[in-house]
Amino acid sequence: MFDYLLSPEALALRDEVREFVKAVPRQLLIDMDNDKVQFPKEFLQEAGRRNLMGCRYPRAWGGRGLDWVTTAMVMEEVGVLGYIMACTFGVGAELVCDAIILHGTDAQKEKYVKPLLKGELFAAECLTEPRGGSDFFGTNTTAEDKGDHFLISGQKRFIVGGEGADYFLVYARTDEEAKPHKSLTCFIVDRGPGVTVEYLYGLMGCRGGGAARIVFDRVRVPKENIVGHLNGAFAVFNTMMIPERLGTAAMTIGAARPALEVATAYTTKRRAFGKTINRYQGVSFQVAEAAMLLDASRSMIYATCRAVDEAVEPARIRRMVSESKKFVTEACQTVAEKSMQVMGGIGYTTIYPVEKIVRDLRLASIWTGTNEVMSLIIAGEWYDEQAAARKDGRTRDCETDAEEAFAADEKIL
């Protein structure tokens, strides 16, 4: 942890989060991985009682008025419990809350944000559909205008927290004729008549988070439950990509950290050929690389969090968030795999938690936008930035520094 980047208030909060993490029963984690617990309500209720969720939101709505750097620290520490624990912690308190805080009305914040941050209600975001994931504008869920309310029909899948949620943040099509970015609306949909948990997914890892397919069958939703504006879901989606992807990256660090800690302790005790195996470079160099990747991941996360806190230009934030999500999730998967490798066969067993960490972290580069989508965003923003820099003459033209830079007929013009 980079203590020197945290304020005294953030350091005190870190101690609170660590005490909470230490208090979570190991049996809960085991039962979730064995699908005996479908959604950890008690975990979220206790987090709410301790006022640990949504720390960057205003105190008036149940937060602590802190910043994104502090939020990243909290997500890392919660991630130590396992990736799915951080997922369920973050989906409501860092995703759904974010949309309502930034785009919702005070009445919505009072009704939905306050009780969620207290652990009294649970929420889930409904974005992915059976025929579309990364294609946000391809949604087939519709909302039919009935005057004072809408009737929402459609399906959403892979909804983390879907089994336990009391309400859902749902994107639906409200204008079939409009251009894609003006055709969708974001709604708060309460669990009730017409809302059905159709299916719970069997997962390779990250079990126990209630990942479900949700069916909406002509669900009556009052117009006051629109988040933002009619046909204005794109603005909500744009801002939510920050907590969705930056939060995912931050918590991945915490979920990978125990694998390296366990491997470090194991390799200082396991002996082979007369000495502990950490004395062999084949082992210690892999541990060193894993430690380097964790620190590099934190550096990227904290730099990006500071950029968001300072509200730098949106295009730069979009690139940095996408880079963080891609780099950190892939780096942390490498950390977990190297930790298993240096432990040998025992790391592949359920004697140690490393095999579970490897399984869980495989999700990190898939959800909240695949890492291939992150590459598309990074490339697009990078080329745009470079074109603008060349046009404005803000940087040295290093192309002319080659000895034969002006050779005739050799350059692409």
Side-chain angles (χ1 to χ4, degrees), residues 127-140:
L127 180 60
T128 302
E129 296 193 357
R131 289 176 178 81
S134 299
D135 181 10
F136 171 68
F137 296 114
T139 180
N140 290 313

Side-chain angles (χ1 to χ4, degrees), residues 242 304 307-309 311-322:
I242 296 174
T304 304
V308 176
D309 285 332
V312 304
E313 61 269 23
R316 176 66 63 86
I317 288 177
R318 202 156 41 241
R319 176 168 68 81
M320 293 179 72
V321 168
S322 300

Side-chain angles (χ1 to χ4, degrees), residues 43-90:
F43 163 74
L44 295 175
Q45 287 168 339
E46 183 60 24
R49 279 193 289 268
R50 296 180 184 228
N51 191 211
L52 299 180
M53 295 195 289
C55 72
R56 72 179 184 280
Y57 301 128
R59 294 181 185 274
W61 307 118
R64 297 194 184 209
L66 300 175
D67 57 13
W68 253 108
V69 171
T70 306
T71 298
M73 174 275 295
V74 171
M75 294 307 296
E76 175 179 345
E77 293 301 330
V78 174
V80 168
L81 288 166
Y83 199 60
I84 191 57
M85 304 302 280
C87 289
T88 56
F89 181 95

Side-chain angles (χ1 to χ4, degrees), residues 245-409:
R245 291 164 179 171
L246 189 52
T248 286
M251 68 194 196
T252 309
I253 299 172
R257 200 173 89 198
L260 183 57
E261 291 172 351
V262 168
T264 300
Y266 179 83
T267 57
T268 59
K269 293 181 285 188
R270 174 79 162 89
R271 298 182 68 85
F273 306 107
K275 56 185 178 181
T276 56
I277 61 175
N278 67 312
R279 302 284 297 279
Y280 296 102
Q281 291 179 348
V283 171
S284 64
F285 282 12
Q286 293 197 67
V287 171
E289 184 174 347
M292 176 187 68
L293 288 173
L294 281 184
D295 277 343
S297 295
R298 284 195 194 93
S299 297
M300 181 171 275
I301 287 296
Y302 280 17
T304 304
C305 285
R306 181 58 57 85
V308 176
D309 285 332
E310 297 297 326
V312 304
E313 61 269 23
R316 176 66 63 86
I317 288 177
R318 202 156 41 241
R319 176 168 68 81
M320 293 179 72
V321 168
S322 300
E323 287 171 344
S324 296
K325 198 272 181 180
K326 178 178 171 61
F327 176 83
V328 173
T329 56
E330 293 176 1
C332 287
Q333 287 171 2
T334 300
V335 168
E337 289 162 3
K338 286 187 175 296
S339 298
M340 176 180 284
Q341 188 68 26
V342 298
M343 292 180 69
I346 197 70
Y348 196 67
T349 72
T350 56
I351 302 298
Y352 288 94
V354 178
E355 62 83 26
K356 176 181 180 294
I357 294 169
V358 170
R359 284 189 286 112
D360 287 352
L361 288 185
R362 190 60 188 85
L363 175 63
S365 55
I366 296 173
W367 85 315
T368 70
T370 66
N371 282 9
E372 289 72 25
V373 170
M374 298 304 102
S375 292
L376 281 172
I377 296 170
I378 294 163
E381 298 297 349
W382 176 256
Y383 274 101
D384 287 347
E385 280 183 35
Q386 291 301 298
R390 286 195 300 273
K391 183 177 180 181
D392 295 347
R394 291 178 301 204
T395 59
R396 178 183 177 86
D397 182 7
C398 296
E399 187 176 316
T400 64
D401 292 339
E403 183 175 353
E404 297 186 43
F406 301 102
D409 301 324

